[in-house]
Amino acid sequence: MNINDQIAVITGAAGGIGRALSRELIKRGARAIGLVDANVTVLELADSFNREYGRPVAKAFVGDTKDEAFRRTVFRDLGKAYRHPTICIPAAAITR
């Protein structure tokens, strides 16, 4: 899969798998990653990626991935900041 210059969304981004996937996509040339999680630590993660890579490569979103309005906001905001995402990785552990 060609990752170069792509925009991705990763849910569960603050967790171990989401964090590792985010880092790997950036290393492989993704233009930007939407980091989505219910945990506010995703804000720190986005800041650390942006500092580490010296460019605005990560944008954090804190919310509930089960909420349709929240999901629309994520895709709309990423589209405005970069362009519409072409990669979506659902790594959030949703429990009932």
Side-chain angles (χ1 to χ4, degrees):
M1 174 179 216
N2 181 13
I3 306 298
N4 194 44
D5 203 38
Q6 299 299 310
I7 311 301
V9 173
I10 299 179
T11 66
I17 293 172
R19 185 180 298 249
L21 288 168
S22 300
R23 183 174 300 284
E24 188 63 26
L25 288 175
I26 296 168
K27 284 181 182 178
R28 290 180 181 222
R31 178 192 238 182
I33 307 287
L35 304 174
V36 180
D37 206 292
N39 190 321
V40 296
T41 60
V42 76
L43 299 168
E44 296 168 12
L45 180 61
D47 286 342
S48 72
F49 280 154
N50 293 335
R51 282 192 309 273
E52 181 179 344
Y53 292 95
R55 62 186 176 95
V57 69
K59 185 169 177 66
F61 298 90
V62 178
D64 182 356
T65 59
K66 296 181 304 253
D67 179 356
E68 183 177 345
F70 173 68
R71 292 191 310 265
R72 286 179 194 213
T73 297
V74 170
F75 278 81
R76 183 193 67 228
D77 289 358
L78 282 173
K80 286 180 182 178
Y82 304 101
R83 69 174 183 266
H84 191 75
T86 54
I87 300 170
C88 183
I89 302 173
I94 298 173
T95 59
R96 293 178 189 219

